[in-house]
Structure formats: structure tokens, C-alpha cells
Amino acid sequence: MSSTAADHAQRRRAPHLGPERRRPQVLDAARAIAVTDGIGAVTIGAVATAMGVTRPVVYACFSDRVELVEALLDRESAHLLDAILAALHGSADPDDPERAFVDGFRALLNAAAAAPDTWRIVFSGEPDPAIAERFRAAKARVQTEATEWIRPAMERWWQTTDLERKLPVLIDLFLSACESAVRSLLDTSNDWGPDDLGTFVGRAVHRAFADA
Amino acid sequence: MSSTAADHAQRRRAPHLGPERRRPQVLDAARAIAVTDGIGAVTIGAVATAMGVTRPVVYACFSDRVELVEALLDRESAHLLDAILAALHGSADPDDPERAFVDGFRALLNAAAAAPDTWRIVFSGEPDPAIAERFRAAKARVQTEATEWIRPAMERWWQTTDLERKLPVLIDLFLSACESAVRSLLDTSNDWGPDDLGTFVGRAVHRAFADA
DNA sequence: GACAGTTCCTGCACGGGTGTAGCAAATTCC
DNA sequence: GGAATTTGCTACACCCGTGCAGGAACTGTC
């Protein structure tokens, strides 16, 4: 490979830090790789070379590839999930449904704008089936939370009929709209900001849900 | 593996068919694997064992793994793309926007219901970067077509202001709604049919787009 | 300054997937 | 029925990623 020659010639030993202090560095390197090349490219070897270290050093920090990726996802998605749930819970104005939707989307998009790379990682998809399970768990969590937020809202505001049958469809539609809004926000080729995009999409989704 | 012992004991040679006649069988096997385990599981070896044949036989039909997967996607997605574009072009009632949306979603969902496995394959995601490019190409095609359908519609029906800025956001929202509707339709745990789900979602999306 | 302990690197074995060469069997044609 | 050809199978070499030893280098301490 490209390493052997360079190694013997000029490469110096990495400084002694120990697994504890190196762990965050490993996660940083993994994060950088995941942002540019997707989670599928986060391999022990890739992380090691990215931080100028050999693979056993990475194994000293995380016993496993899945353990590494899970640690990465945990660290990255922790405040993400909090932001989503906060956006849901904090925007329950009982008298103005449109405002509730708009506020919720604004909160969501501001959270997305604050940590765009994290969102890119989470949305990039999960090639490894061992990791896919964790993704689905998080998604299911958001799904139930969103359901419990929307169900009483629709009962109170619009007296929607046949709600239990419609809810799964509406929830999927709602979450798809959330993902779409974040995608549009992170798309660098436009000039939308979190607040005006949140207002725009929030209003549209509100119209879709009213009288559903 | 599990094969060596059984091979020597009882396995018979597969009949002579030749690459030409075996090619569709290979694609069928690949399709079955893709449906159950995702496109990522479509490997030369997996396809070969699935059809009771050894890998060189598969290599005689497709010189490459990507060539195999691309042939699969081409065969499967051909009438899918046609159905989508037909749904877009065929539902341009110039006087009744809601009906246009409803008809479009109905056509889309009927196409999805007619070939559910194909949709599952296409939506399952693409781990291989060599394949991802082809996915993005197809998606971009649909995107531009959808844009050209929606742009004049919004000008004519609602005189939407600042359209060129809003269009990208609306298109992404629209396509997300399409994907969501198909997902809901293919979700076996509900009792929606293509027509009533198309009506329901079509109306909701119409409300979202009106006065956007 | 030497020593013990920690940390890092070289090197290997393994598994899974790819792609290919050479041999054996079945099929076709005469 | 026998030869030529087509087709499939066995076996190999290769790459990449994983995970693990064992030895070398650095660190802090006495």
C-alpha cells in the first residue's frame, strides 16, 4: 500500500495518550469520514489512517466496529433527538394550530442548521445491518412521540374522523415533510434560512393536516 | 461452507442453458435476494447459490457485479419510471387542481400496488457507491419532470409569488409525499387501497400546495 | 539515569467477496 | 455412435476488512 514505504522512511510514532484520551479523537475522525463518504466508509482502518495511527490503537478504544459506529451515532444523535422532541413538545399552542406547526418546524430547522454535519450522517443511510437496527429504533421512537403529539391535536382542532386509520399515514407524511425540510435547508444551492423555511413548510404542512 | 459436502455427495450438474437463456434466471434470483435482504446482499456468490449454480456461471452472464445490479435495476425500474411519468403527465386537468393531484396519486399508487416488490427494491437504499450514481440519475430525472409539471400548474392555478425560490422546496416536499404514500400503501399492517389512499393523500398534498 | 508500565507498531491468520484458468461433463452435430 | 463444441465445476490468486499476538518505543517515577 501507500503506507509501508512512507512508514519506514519518515513516519513518527504517535504520542502516548491512552485509550481514554484518544477515544474522542477516534470519534472525531470517524465523524469526518462519515460526513464525506458515508457511514459505510467508517472502517477501523480508515479511521486509523485518518488520525495517523495504526488499527490496533483504534481497537484499544473500541473493541468492535459496530461499537465504534454506535458510539459515534450515540454521541452525534443525542442532542439531535432532544432537539426533535423539544420541537414537538414545545410547540403545542392550544389555540393556534398553524402557529404550532410553524414554531415546530422552525425549532427543527434551527436545530438542523446548528449541526448540519450530524444530520448528514444520520440521513446518509445505514449499509450495515448491525447498525440498521439502531436507526430503526430511533426512528420508531420519534414516530411514537410524533403520533402522541399529533393525535390529540387533530382531535381538538379539527375533530378528524376515522383518526386511528388515518394517523399512520399522516405520521409518515409528517416525518417525510420534516426530512424534506431539513434536506432543503442543508442544500447549499438555495438561500433559505431556518426561520423562513420553517414558516413556509410549517404553513404548508398545517394546510395539509387541517381538515384531513 | 455448507456446499462442499453436499456437492460431492449428491449435487448434480445444472442443465446446459447458456448465458443467453440463463440471464433472466440470474436476474430473477438477484431480484428475490434484493427483495428480502436488500440490494447490498446481491452478491455474485449469493445469486449463484440461490439458483443452484456456481459463480463462474453467473460471471458468464454478467461480467461484473455492478453490471448485474444495473441490469436488475434497469429491468425492474423501466416500467416504474414510465408509471411515474404517466402519473404526472396524465393528470393535468387544467380546471380542477384537486382532481389533478388526486388522479396523479391514484395512478402512482396503483402502479405501486401492481409491482410492490420492485418498489421495495428501489426504496431499499443503495450501499454501493457505484450503484448510487444510477439512483441519483433516475431521481434527478423524476425531479425535473415533476418540476416541469408543477411549475405551470402553480402559475396557472394559484399565481404563486416568488415561485422560482419556492419550487425546489416544494418539489422535494412533493416527492417525499409520493414516497411516503407508497410506503404507507406497502405497509401491510393497514387496510388502505391504492384508490382511497391516493384520494386521501392527493387531497392533503393539494391543500399544502394551494396558496403556497 | 535506570526501571517498570503503558502505549504503539509490525506482522500474521481468518473470513468473505471478486475475478480467472483449467478441467470435466453434457450437448450438439455429423 | 463418435467427435467437436458448448457449458458448468473445481481450484486458485487476489483484495479488503477484521481481530489478535508479540515485540519495540515512549512515558513517568525512583
Side-chain angles (χ1 to χ4, degrees):
Chain A
M1 290 297 145
S2 63
S3 52
T4 48
D7 283 4
H8 291 251
Q10 34 179 284
R11 181 174 179 181
R12 300 179 52 86
R13 279 177 77 93
H16 278 44
L17 286 92
E20 253 356 278
R21 273 178 297 174
R22 210 179 282 283
R23 213 178 236 119
Q25 294 185 8
V26 173
L27 291 182
D28 289 344
R31 184 171 171 280
I33 295 172
V35 169
T36 59
D37 301 332
I39 288 185
V42 176
T43 178
I44 302 285
V47 172
T49 57
M51 59 194 298
V53 151
T54 53
R55 290 184 288 107
V57 177
V58 179
Y59 277 110
C61 301
F62 300 96
S63 68
D64 214 333
R65 195 194 95 96
V66 298
E67 191 175 299
L68 194 167
V69 177
E70 286 185 354
L72 174 66
L73 291 178
D74 282 347
R75 192 184 74 165
E76 296 299 317
S77 69
H79 50 91
L80 263 201
L81 197 59
D82 292 349
I84 295 177
L85 299 181
L88 278 174
H89 295 143
S91 63
D93 187 326
D95 294 327
D96 188 347
E98 177 174 310
R99 187 184 177 82
F101 273 89
V102 168
D103 286 351
F105 270 93
R106 278 190 176 183
L108 175 75
L109 293 179
N110 274 295
D117 284 350
T118 303
W119 287 79
R120 271 186 251 272
I121 293 176
V122 175
F123 282 172
S124 73
E126 64 293 359
D128 197 326
I131 310 297
E133 180 56 34
R134 183 155 293 233
F135 271 86
R136 278 195 292 120
K139 197 158 188 175
R141 169 87 187 284
V142 174
Q143 195 167 339
T144 57
E145 294 271 355
T147 304
E148 295 319 310
W149 177 75
I150 288 185
R151 191 208 310 275
M154 299 204 71
E155 286 172 346
R156 178 168 5 110
W157 290 329
W158 302 301
Q159 297 85 39
T160 309
T161 60
D162 208 1
L163 190 57
E164 292 310 312
R165 191 169 108 99
K166 293 174 180 171
L167 258 180
V169 175
L170 291 173
I171 293 296
D172 197 295
L173 219 48
F174 177 72
L175 296 179
S176 297
C178 291
E179 288 191 29
S180 170
V182 175
R183 243 192 326 266
S184 292
L185 180 73
L186 298 184
D187 181 1
T188 53
S189 67
N190 68 46
D191 59 340
W192 289 92
D195 283 323
D196 55 345
L197 183 60
T199 306
F200 180 58
V201 176
R203 277 195 191 136
V205 175
H206 164 259
R207 285 194 302 275
F209 274 63
D211 310 317
Chain B
M1 286 301 151
S2 64
S3 52
T4 50
D7 283 5
H8 290 251
Q10 35 178 286
R11 180 174 180 182
R12 299 179 53 86
R13 280 177 77 92
H16 278 45
L17 285 92
E20 256 352 281
R21 274 179 295 176
R22 210 180 284 282
R23 213 176 237 119
Q25 294 185 7
V26 173
L27 291 182
D28 289 343
R31 184 172 171 281
I33 295 172
V35 169
T36 59
D37 300 333
I39 289 185
V42 176
T43 178
I44 303 284
V47 172
T49 57
M51 59 194 298
V53 150
T54 53
R55 291 184 294 107
V57 178
V58 180
Y59 277 108
C61 301
F62 300 95
S63 67
D64 213 333
R65 196 195 95 95
V66 299
E67 191 175 301
L68 195 167
V69 177
E70 286 185 354
L72 174 66
L73 290 178
D74 282 349
R75 192 184 74 165
E76 296 299 317
S77 68
H79 51 89
L80 263 201
L81 197 59
D82 292 349
I84 295 175
L85 299 181
L88 279 174
H89 296 144
S91 62
D93 187 326
D95 295 326
D96 188 346
E98 177 173 312
R99 186 184 179 82
F101 273 89
V102 168
D103 286 351
F105 270 93
R106 278 191 176 181
L108 175 75
L109 293 179
N110 275 294
D117 284 351
T118 302
W119 288 79
R120 272 186 250 273
I121 292 176
V122 175
F123 281 172
S124 72
E126 64 293 0
D128 198 326
I131 310 297
E133 180 55 35
R134 183 154 294 234
F135 271 86
R136 279 194 292 121
K139 197 158 187 175
R141 169 86 186 285
V142 174
Q143 194 167 340
T144 58
E145 295 271 354
T147 304
E148 295 319 310
W149 178 76
I150 287 185
R151 191 207 311 274
M154 299 204 70
E155 286 172 346
R156 181 172 359 113
W157 290 329
W158 302 301
Q159 296 84 40
T160 309
T161 60
D162 208 2
L163 190 57
E164 292 310 311
R165 192 169 107 100
K166 293 174 179 171
L167 258 180
V169 175
L170 291 173
I171 294 296
D172 197 295
L173 218 48
F174 177 73
L175 295 179
S176 297
C178 290
E179 288 190 29
S180 171
V182 174
R183 245 194 325 267
S184 291
L185 180 73
L186 298 184
D187 181 1
T188 53
S189 68
N190 67 45
D191 59 340
W192 288 91
D195 284 322
D196 55 345
L197 184 60
T199 306
F200 180 59
V201 176
R203 278 195 190 136
V205 174
H206 164 259
R207 284 194 302 275
F209 275 63
D211 310 316

